[in-house]
Amino acid sequence: MDSRQLLQQYATGKTSFQGVRIRSADLLEADLIGVDLSKAELSSGNFMLAYLTRVDFSEANLSHSRLSGANLNQSKLIRARLNNADLHGSSLQGADLRGAQLTLANLLDANLMDCDLRNANLSGANLSGACLRGANLREEGSNRSTNLRGANLHQTDLRGANLSGADLARVDLSQADLGDATLRGADLRGADLRGANLSGTILTEADLSESTLENASLVNARLDRAKLIGTKANNSDFTFVTLADANLKHGSFVGAVMADAKLARCDASRADFTGSDLQRSILSEGYFARTNLSQTNLTEAVLVRAEISSANLNGAKLAGATMPDGSTYRR
Amino acid sequence: MVPSWLLDEVAQKLESQAERRQIHQLAFATHQHRWPEDPNLLDLYRLRDLVQDLTRNYRSFEELKQGLRRALSQAPESKAFIPAARTLLKVARQAYQGDGSAVALPSEASLDGFNPSDPAAQRLSPFETRASDATSHPFPPLPYDEIAATLEQSPSATRIKKLLYAVCSGEWSNDPVVLGRFRLTNLLKQLHKMSAEEEALHSALRNVVVTLNRQMEYELVAQLIQRECHRLYAPLEEVAKNHQPDSGFDSAPPTAYPEEEPFSTGPNRHPGSGVDPVPLGFYDDDDAPEPTGVLIPMGATANQQSDIQAENSNQRPPYASPESSPSQESWAAPDYNPDYAHSPQAAQTAAPAEQPARPLDWKGLAELRVELMRYANPLRVKALMFSTLYYPFDLNSGGDWSKLQTETLGDLILRLMDQFPSYSSLDEQLKLMACQMMPSDEYGNAAGAIARALRPFYP
């Protein structure tokens, strides 16, 4: 079958084309709304600006296809092969992409709102400027989490997305919007989160070690038991953040705003908080061995049973702070 | 606190050493109590700032020695850093007085209370002694013109001007008309006047840069400005040596620039602070929201004033400043006209628009993108924006595709708003272009979606 025959048969009312083989199909701006192309062989085809809403592409091979500007809203792409596909400016709102192979796909400025991307492989994909609001990228099963390793998520809109357990190690998420997203247990080691919005984001038990969070906003984020070993978070906003039991060893939080943050039982040994604002923060039972707290504002902070004997508190403001022995600092 | 000229001197000497990298690493390790694992980490810390912090943290020379010793003991290869430690101590010693305590500025907190007869103060840079009058000093003229000429040669000249304008006015503008009203020389003078010390200059630039999306690019621009402006803060002897007395600079009243509008005080000035706080927020560079306050042209005729008011009425919304200051005189430019600033025209000009437009900050941009993606085809939206900005996009041209790949939808939105400061002209151009593209109904839909989505961001 060729492209023309497909369009002719569709025009006569046929919608089931399961398993068809059309190599290098030319379906530019074609209207194939609602057809069943599951298990079809359609690699290297041209579907640019095509109308493909509610099309069933499950297990179809669309690798190396041109799907720029295609409208794939509510389409089924379960386990579809979309490796190296060009989906620049495409619309996939509400599409089912569970287990889809999107390795090295170009999803620049693609609309992926409310997509189901569980177990999808997006490694090396370009998601710059893409909108993944409300998308589901949650880890499913023990071994097959959504893979975003090496993906470009610069300025990507992931607001409210579920990325629990996702592999985002060394991913470029600079200036990305992850507000209210769920990243519980996600692997964000070495990720670039500079200028990212993580306000209200759930990062419980996430691993952010060696990541860069400079100038990021983490207001109200939940980071209980998260790992931030060697994380660089200078000038970031951690207001009202929860970092209870978190590991902040060797982290750099110079000039960070951590007012009203909850850091109880955290391990911040050898971390650098120079000039940071820790007003009213809860640091009870925290471990601050050789931590640099110089020039910090610890006004009214709670340091009950915190280990600060070897911390550098030069120039720190402690007025009204509750000291490790329970006394209130006055001067 | 060690005076800035002395810090500069120490930092310069250290920078000129062969083992400067090791010195930088050692200064970092002494200050941060850890050795930099990431080689790029050092780039974030200027040696001068580290030296300054060291002199703050280690109040006596002996304490500094102890600090260095501690850092050396934890060095991966401590022997390799011994020459660096020796040089650092030798050079840094001058920042400490005979009794070992750090050299302090006698009245750094207030330059107004500066006593010129104080021998320590006599070593201040010419600007420091005359913070209140940068343009009429008996010292060799300051090289604003030279610096401006150098900066104008830079490929980033436009960004330099935008950044200087933002620092001086507390507002961001991408409007070439607005920027064209100001000479770089005068912006430099204003910046110098605002930043009594080099550190203040650094902070002033930094405060704006951190609010931009393209921080990396503007960080480089800020560094370039700082590098060039360094000579404004150099010790007196250096200034005298580097500048010819007959350069004529500033010896005469500033040359009038036909369309120039010296700064008046907008509503967001913070007099006397040296550095004006620029409200933090995510705003882009070329893409930043339009100014909050309105710059009032000096000596503008009634017609000019009304033109400017009219133009400002087309500007995108004011950037909501958390504070404003009623007292403005101390910030005024050399030819500041207080009569005008307090005149009814000024009050009228600075008043917020009746229907303030939504500021296009980072969140606004994200919402805008969502809105466009929800109601139009993202690729067609991009193609239409591209065509409106540059030339009609050709689906069959590989070059056009490549160009479209280099700009995100967000970039194009910001560029579009930059190019079309008024909503009516934007709407008109979009419709016009959509009619010329096929299928025109699809592009017409895209034009409508863009116009609707952008409407709240225009007054």
Short mmCIF file of all heavy atoms in Angstrom, two decimals, chain A residues 122-179:
data_model
loop_
_atom_site.label_atom_id
_atom_site.label_comp_id
_atom_site.label_asym_id
_atom_site.label_seq_id
_atom_site.Cartn_x
_atom_site.Cartn_y
_atom_site.Cartn_z
N LEU A 122 12.81 8.55 26.83
CA LEU A 122 13.04 9.87 26.23
C LEU A 122 14.53 10.23 26.30
O LEU A 122 14.88 11.40 26.23
CB LEU A 122 12.23 10.92 27.00
CG LEU A 122 10.73 10.97 26.71
CD1 LEU A 122 9.96 11.44 27.92
CD2 LEU A 122 10.44 11.88 25.53
N SER A 123 15.37 9.22 26.41
CA SER A 123 16.79 9.54 26.58
C SER A 123 17.32 10.27 25.34
O SER A 123 17.08 9.87 24.21
CB SER A 123 17.62 8.29 26.88
OG SER A 123 17.46 7.36 25.87
N GLY A 124 18.02 11.34 25.60
CA GLY A 124 18.60 12.14 24.52
C GLY A 124 17.59 12.95 23.73
O GLY A 124 17.95 13.59 22.74
N ALA A 125 16.34 12.94 24.15
CA ALA A 125 15.32 13.70 23.42
C ALA A 125 15.46 15.19 23.69
O ALA A 125 15.93 15.58 24.75
CB ALA A 125 13.93 13.24 23.82
N ASN A 126 15.06 15.99 22.73
CA ASN A 126 15.07 17.44 22.92
C ASN A 126 13.67 17.90 23.30
O ASN A 126 12.76 17.87 22.49
CB ASN A 126 15.53 18.13 21.63
CG ASN A 126 15.53 19.64 21.75
OD1 ASN A 126 15.37 20.18 22.85
ND2 ASN A 126 15.69 20.35 20.65
N LEU A 127 13.53 18.29 24.55
CA LEU A 127 12.22 18.73 25.05
C LEU A 127 12.24 20.22 25.35
O LEU A 127 11.39 20.72 26.09
CB LEU A 127 11.87 17.93 26.31
CG LEU A 127 11.41 16.49 26.06
CD1 LEU A 127 11.87 15.57 27.15
CD2 LEU A 127 9.89 16.43 25.95
N SER A 128 13.20 20.90 24.77
CA SER A 128 13.34 22.33 25.04
C SER A 128 12.05 23.07 24.64
O SER A 128 11.55 22.90 23.55
CB SER A 128 14.52 22.85 24.24
OG SER A 128 14.78 24.17 24.55
N GLY A 129 11.53 23.85 25.55
CA GLY A 129 10.32 24.62 25.29
C GLY A 129 9.05 23.79 25.24
O GLY A 129 7.97 24.32 25.01
N ALA A 130 9.17 22.47 25.45
CA ALA A 130 7.97 21.62 25.40
C ALA A 130 7.13 21.85 26.65
O ALA A 130 7.64 22.25 27.69
CB ALA A 130 8.38 20.16 25.31
N CYS A 131 5.85 21.61 26.50
CA CYS A 131 4.96 21.77 27.65
C CYS A 131 4.46 20.40 28.09
O CYS A 131 3.78 19.71 27.34
CB CYS A 131 3.79 22.68 27.28
SG CYS A 131 2.70 22.94 28.68
N LEU A 132 4.85 20.01 29.30
CA LEU A 132 4.46 18.70 29.83
C LEU A 132 3.56 18.85 31.04
O LEU A 132 3.54 18.02 31.93
CB LEU A 132 5.71 17.89 30.20
CG LEU A 132 6.50 17.29 29.04
CD1 LEU A 132 7.76 18.06 28.80
CD2 LEU A 132 6.82 15.83 29.29
N ARG A 133 2.83 19.96 31.09
CA ARG A 133 1.95 20.21 32.23
C ARG A 133 1.01 19.04 32.46
O ARG A 133 0.33 18.60 31.53
CB ARG A 133 1.12 21.46 31.98
CG ARG A 133 1.66 22.58 32.79
CD ARG A 133 0.85 23.79 32.63
NE ARG A 133 1.80 24.88 32.74
CZ ARG A 133 1.48 26.08 33.13
NH1 ARG A 133 0.25 26.36 33.43
NH2 ARG A 133 2.40 27.00 33.21
N GLY A 134 0.99 18.58 33.67
CA GLY A 134 0.06 17.50 34.02
C GLY A 134 0.40 16.16 33.40
O GLY A 134 -0.39 15.22 33.48
N ALA A 135 1.57 16.06 32.76
CA ALA A 135 1.95 14.77 32.15
C ALA A 135 2.33 13.78 33.24
O ALA A 135 2.75 14.16 34.33
CB ALA A 135 3.11 14.98 31.20
N ASN A 136 2.17 12.53 32.93
CA ASN A 136 2.51 11.49 33.89
C ASN A 136 3.77 10.77 33.43
O ASN A 136 3.77 10.10 32.39
CB ASN A 136 1.34 10.51 34.03
CG ASN A 136 1.54 9.57 35.22
OD1 ASN A 136 2.58 9.59 35.86
ND2 ASN A 136 0.54 8.76 35.50
N LEU A 137 4.83 10.94 34.20
CA LEU A 137 6.09 10.26 33.87
C LEU A 137 6.51 9.40 35.05
O LEU A 137 7.68 9.12 35.27
CB LEU A 137 7.19 11.27 33.57
CG LEU A 137 7.05 12.11 32.30
CD1 LEU A 137 6.47 13.47 32.58
CD2 LEU A 137 8.40 12.27 31.61
N ARG A 138 5.53 9.02 35.85
CA ARG A 138 5.80 8.29 37.10
C ARG A 138 6.44 6.95 36.80
O ARG A 138 6.14 6.29 35.81
CB ARG A 138 4.47 8.10 37.83
CG ARG A 138 4.55 7.48 39.19
CD ARG A 138 3.25 7.75 39.93
NE ARG A 138 2.07 7.30 39.18
CZ ARG A 138 1.57 6.07 39.25
NH1 ARG A 138 2.15 5.17 40.01
NH2 ARG A 138 0.51 5.73 38.56
N GLU A 139 7.31 6.57 37.73
CA GLU A 139 7.96 5.26 37.60
C GLU A 139 6.91 4.16 37.68
O GLU A 139 6.06 4.16 38.55
CB GLU A 139 8.97 5.08 38.73
CG GLU A 139 9.70 3.77 38.69
CD GLU A 139 10.64 3.63 39.87
OE1 GLU A 139 10.40 4.26 40.90
OE2 GLU A 139 11.61 2.90 39.73
N GLU A 140 6.96 3.26 36.79
CA GLU A 140 5.99 2.16 36.78
C GLU A 140 6.78 0.86 36.83
O GLU A 140 7.58 0.58 35.93
CB GLU A 140 5.17 2.23 35.48
CG GLU A 140 3.95 1.38 35.49
CD GLU A 140 2.73 2.11 36.07
OE1 GLU A 140 2.89 2.96 36.98
OE2 GLU A 140 1.64 1.81 35.64
N GLY A 141 6.55 0.06 37.84
CA GLY A 141 7.32 -1.18 37.96
C GLY A 141 8.69 -0.88 38.51
O GLY A 141 9.07 0.27 38.71
N SER A 142 9.48 -1.88 38.74
CA SER A 142 10.76 -1.66 39.40
C SER A 142 11.90 -1.29 38.46
O SER A 142 12.79 -0.55 38.82
CB SER A 142 11.14 -2.92 40.19
OG SER A 142 11.10 -4.04 39.33
N ASN A 143 11.89 -1.79 37.26
CA ASN A 143 13.05 -1.57 36.39
C ASN A 143 12.81 -0.60 35.23
O ASN A 143 13.74 -0.19 34.57
CB ASN A 143 13.51 -2.90 35.78
CG ASN A 143 13.83 -3.92 36.85
OD1 ASN A 143 14.45 -3.58 37.84
ND2 ASN A 143 13.36 -5.14 36.66
N ARG A 144 11.55 -0.30 34.97
CA ARG A 144 11.30 0.42 33.73
C ARG A 144 10.75 1.83 33.99
O ARG A 144 9.64 2.14 33.61
CB ARG A 144 10.33 -0.37 32.86
CG ARG A 144 10.86 -1.75 32.50
CD ARG A 144 9.93 -2.42 31.52
NE ARG A 144 9.78 -1.63 30.31
CZ ARG A 144 8.74 -1.74 29.49
NH1 ARG A 144 7.77 -2.56 29.78
NH2 ARG A 144 8.67 -1.00 28.40
N SER A 145 11.56 2.66 34.63
CA SER A 145 11.10 4.02 34.87
C SER A 145 11.26 4.83 33.59
O SER A 145 11.99 4.45 32.68
CB SER A 145 11.92 4.66 35.99
OG SER A 145 13.26 4.69 35.61
N THR A 146 10.57 5.96 33.54
CA THR A 146 10.71 6.84 32.39
C THR A 146 12.15 7.31 32.30
O THR A 146 12.72 7.76 33.29
CB THR A 146 9.77 8.06 32.54
OG1 THR A 146 8.46 7.55 32.75
CG2 THR A 146 9.79 8.95 31.33
N ASN A 147 12.72 7.16 31.15
CA ASN A 147 14.13 7.48 31.00
C ASN A 147 14.30 8.81 30.29
O ASN A 147 13.92 8.95 29.13
CB ASN A 147 14.81 6.35 30.21
CG ASN A 147 16.31 6.55 30.12
OD1 ASN A 147 16.83 7.57 30.56
ND2 ASN A 147 16.99 5.59 29.55
N LEU A 148 14.86 9.76 31.02
CA LEU A 148 15.09 11.09 30.44
C LEU A 148 16.58 11.41 30.47
O LEU A 148 16.96 12.57 30.38
CB LEU A 148 14.31 12.14 31.24
CG LEU A 148 12.81 12.21 30.96
CD1 LEU A 148 12.05 12.67 32.16
CD2 LEU A 148 12.52 13.15 29.80
N ARG A 149 17.40 10.39 30.61
CA ARG A 149 18.83 10.62 30.74
C ARG A 149 19.37 11.37 29.52
O ARG A 149 19.11 10.98 28.38
CB ARG A 149 19.55 9.28 30.88
CG ARG A 149 20.90 9.41 31.55
CD ARG A 149 21.42 8.05 31.93
NE ARG A 149 20.96 7.68 33.26
CZ ARG A 149 21.77 7.50 34.28
NH1 ARG A 149 23.06 7.68 34.14
NH2 ARG A 149 21.30 7.15 35.45
N GLY A 150 20.07 12.44 29.81
CA GLY A 150 20.69 13.22 28.73
C GLY A 150 19.70 14.05 27.92
O GLY A 150 20.06 14.65 26.92
N ALA A 151 18.43 14.08 28.35
CA ALA A 151 17.44 14.86 27.58
C ALA A 151 17.62 16.34 27.84
O ALA A 151 18.15 16.73 28.87
CB ALA A 151 16.02 14.44 27.99
N ASN A 152 17.22 17.14 26.90
CA ASN A 152 17.29 18.59 27.06
C ASN A 152 15.91 19.10 27.48
O ASN A 152 14.97 19.08 26.69
CB ASN A 152 17.73 19.24 25.75
CG ASN A 152 17.76 20.75 25.83
OD1 ASN A 152 17.54 21.33 26.91
ND2 ASN A 152 18.03 21.41 24.73
N LEU A 153 15.81 19.51 28.72
CA LEU A 153 14.52 19.98 29.24
C LEU A 153 14.59 21.46 29.61
O LEU A 153 13.86 21.94 30.45
CB LEU A 153 14.12 19.14 30.46
CG LEU A 153 13.70 17.71 30.13
CD1 LEU A 153 14.02 16.77 31.27
CD2 LEU A 153 12.23 17.63 29.82
N HIS A 154 15.52 22.16 28.96
CA HIS A 154 15.70 23.59 29.20
C HIS A 154 14.37 24.33 28.93
O HIS A 154 13.77 24.14 27.88
CB HIS A 154 16.80 24.09 28.28
CG HIS A 154 16.98 25.57 28.26
ND1 HIS A 154 17.51 26.27 29.31
CD2 HIS A 154 16.68 26.50 27.32
CE1 HIS A 154 17.54 27.55 29.01
NE2 HIS A 154 17.04 27.72 27.80
N GLN A 155 13.94 25.11 29.90
CA GLN A 155 12.70 25.90 29.78
C GLN A 155 11.47 25.04 29.57
O GLN A 155 10.44 25.52 29.10
CB GLN A 155 12.80 26.90 28.62
CG GLN A 155 13.65 28.11 28.93
CD GLN A 155 13.59 29.16 27.82
OE1 GLN A 155 13.06 28.94 26.74
NE2 GLN A 155 14.18 30.30 28.07
N THR A 156 11.57 23.77 29.87
CA THR A 156 10.40 22.91 29.67
C THR A 156 9.37 23.15 30.76
O THR A 156 9.72 23.37 31.91
CB THR A 156 10.85 21.43 29.68
OG1 THR A 156 11.81 21.26 28.66
CG2 THR A 156 9.70 20.49 29.43
N ASP A 157 8.14 23.09 30.37
CA ASP A 157 7.05 23.31 31.32
C ASP A 157 6.59 21.96 31.85
O ASP A 157 5.93 21.20 31.13
CB ASP A 157 5.91 24.03 30.60
CG ASP A 157 4.83 24.48 31.57
OD1 ASP A 157 4.73 23.90 32.66
OD2 ASP A 157 4.08 25.41 31.21
N LEU A 158 6.97 21.63 33.06
CA LEU A 158 6.61 20.35 33.66
C LEU A 158 5.72 20.58 34.88
O LEU A 158 5.68 19.75 35.78
CB LEU A 158 7.89 19.60 34.07
CG LEU A 158 8.66 18.95 32.92
CD1 LEU A 158 10.13 18.87 33.23
CD2 LEU A 158 8.12 17.56 32.63
N ARG A 159 5.05 21.72 34.90
CA ARG A 159 4.23 22.07 36.06
C ARG A 159 3.21 20.98 36.35
O ARG A 159 2.48 20.53 35.46
CB ARG A 159 3.53 23.41 35.78
CG ARG A 159 2.65 23.89 36.88
CD ARG A 159 2.29 25.35 36.67
NE ARG A 159 3.33 26.20 37.21
CZ ARG A 159 3.39 26.59 38.49
NH1 ARG A 159 2.48 26.19 39.34
NH2 ARG A 159 4.36 27.35 38.91
N GLY A 160 3.23 20.52 37.57
CA GLY A 160 2.25 19.52 38.00
C GLY A 160 2.49 18.12 37.45
O GLY A 160 1.70 17.22 37.68
N ALA A 161 3.59 17.93 36.69
CA ALA A 161 3.84 16.60 36.11
C ALA A 161 4.26 15.62 37.20
O ALA A 161 4.84 16.01 38.22
CB ALA A 161 4.93 16.70 35.05
N ASN A 162 3.96 14.36 36.98
CA ASN A 162 4.37 13.34 37.94
C ASN A 162 5.62 12.66 37.40
O ASN A 162 5.58 11.93 36.41
CB ASN A 162 3.24 12.32 38.12
CG ASN A 162 3.53 11.40 39.29
OD1 ASN A 162 4.68 11.29 39.73
ND2 ASN A 162 2.51 10.73 39.80
N LEU A 163 6.72 12.92 38.04
CA LEU A 163 8.01 12.37 37.60
C LEU A 163 8.61 11.51 38.71
O LEU A 163 9.83 11.38 38.81
CB LEU A 163 8.96 13.51 37.25
CG LEU A 163 8.70 14.25 35.95
CD1 LEU A 163 9.00 15.73 36.08
CD2 LEU A 163 9.55 13.67 34.84
N SER A 164 7.76 10.92 39.53
CA SER A 164 8.27 10.13 40.65
C SER A 164 9.21 9.04 40.15
O SER A 164 8.88 8.30 39.22
CB SER A 164 7.11 9.49 41.40
OG SER A 164 6.32 10.49 41.95
N GLY A 165 10.36 8.97 40.75
CA GLY A 165 11.32 7.91 40.42
C GLY A 165 11.96 8.06 39.05
O GLY A 165 12.71 7.19 38.61
N ALA A 166 11.70 9.16 38.37
CA ALA A 166 12.25 9.33 37.01
C ALA A 166 13.77 9.49 37.05
O ALA A 166 14.32 10.02 38.02
CB ALA A 166 11.63 10.54 36.35
N ASP A 167 14.40 9.01 36.00
CA ASP A 167 15.84 9.15 35.89
C ASP A 167 16.15 10.45 35.17
O ASP A 167 16.00 10.56 33.96
CB ASP A 167 16.40 7.95 35.09
CG ASP A 167 17.91 8.01 34.96
OD1 ASP A 167 18.50 9.03 35.38
OD2 ASP A 167 18.50 7.06 34.43
N LEU A 168 16.54 11.45 35.94
CA LEU A 168 16.83 12.76 35.37
C LEU A 168 18.28 13.15 35.64
O LEU A 168 18.62 14.33 35.70
CB LEU A 168 15.88 13.81 35.98
CG LEU A 168 14.40 13.69 35.57
CD1 LEU A 168 13.48 14.29 36.61
CD2 LEU A 168 14.16 14.38 34.23
N ALA A 169 19.11 12.13 35.80
CA ALA A 169 20.51 12.39 36.11
C ALA A 169 21.17 13.19 34.99
O ALA A 169 21.01 12.86 33.81
CB ALA A 169 21.25 11.07 36.32
N ARG A 170 21.86 14.24 35.37
CA ARG A 170 22.61 15.12 34.46
C ARG A 170 21.73 15.76 33.37
O ARG A 170 22.21 16.16 32.32
CB ARG A 170 23.79 14.37 33.83
CG ARG A 170 24.92 14.14 34.81
CD ARG A 170 26.04 13.36 34.21
NE ARG A 170 25.64 12.01 33.90
CZ ARG A 170 25.49 11.04 34.79
NH1 ARG A 170 25.71 11.29 36.07
NH2 ARG A 170 25.13 9.84 34.44
N VAL A 171 20.45 15.83 33.60
CA VAL A 171 19.55 16.43 32.62
C VAL A 171 19.58 17.96 32.75
O VAL A 171 19.71 18.49 33.84
CB VAL A 171 18.11 15.88 32.84
CG1 VAL A 171 17.07 16.74 32.15
CG2 VAL A 171 18.03 14.45 32.34
N ASP A 172 19.48 18.63 31.61
CA ASP A 172 19.44 20.09 31.62
C ASP A 172 18.00 20.55 31.88
O ASP A 172 17.15 20.45 31.00
CB ASP A 172 19.92 20.65 30.27
CG ASP A 172 19.87 22.17 30.21
OD1 ASP A 172 19.49 22.80 31.21
OD2 ASP A 172 20.22 22.73 29.15
N LEU A 173 17.75 20.97 33.10
CA LEU A 173 16.42 21.45 33.48
C LEU A 173 16.49 22.94 33.82
O LEU A 173 15.64 23.45 34.55
CB LEU A 173 15.91 20.66 34.69
CG LEU A 173 15.30 19.28 34.40
CD1 LEU A 173 15.40 18.38 35.61
CD2 LEU A 173 13.84 19.41 33.98
N SER A 174 17.50 23.62 33.30
CA SER A 174 17.66 25.02 33.64
C SER A 174 16.44 25.81 33.18
O SER A 174 15.93 25.59 32.09
CB SER A 174 18.93 25.60 33.02
OG SER A 174 18.96 25.35 31.64
N GLN A 175 15.97 26.67 34.06
CA GLN A 175 14.80 27.52 33.82
C GLN A 175 13.53 26.72 33.54
O GLN A 175 12.57 27.25 32.99
CB GLN A 175 15.06 28.50 32.68
CG GLN A 175 16.12 29.52 33.05
CD GLN A 175 16.54 30.36 31.88
OE1 GLN A 175 15.80 30.51 30.93
NE2 GLN A 175 17.72 30.92 31.95
N ALA A 176 13.55 25.43 33.85
CA ALA A 176 12.33 24.64 33.64
C ALA A 176 11.33 24.97 34.73
O ALA A 176 11.69 25.39 35.83
CB ALA A 176 12.67 23.16 33.68
N ASP A 177 10.07 24.79 34.43
CA ASP A 177 9.03 25.02 35.42
C ASP A 177 8.57 23.67 35.96
O ASP A 177 7.88 22.91 35.27
CB ASP A 177 7.85 25.78 34.78
CG ASP A 177 6.81 26.20 35.82
OD1 ASP A 177 6.97 25.80 37.00
OD2 ASP A 177 5.89 26.93 35.46
N LEU A 178 8.97 23.37 37.18
CA LEU A 178 8.59 22.12 37.82
C LEU A 178 7.68 22.39 39.01
O LEU A 178 7.57 21.59 39.93
CB LEU A 178 9.86 21.38 38.29
CG LEU A 178 10.70 20.74 37.17
CD1 LEU A 178 12.16 20.71 37.54
CD2 LEU A 178 10.23 19.33 36.87
N GLY A 179 7.05 23.56 38.97
CA GLY A 179 6.18 23.95 40.08
C GLY A 179 5.09 22.92 40.31
O GLY A 179 4.46 22.45 39.37
#
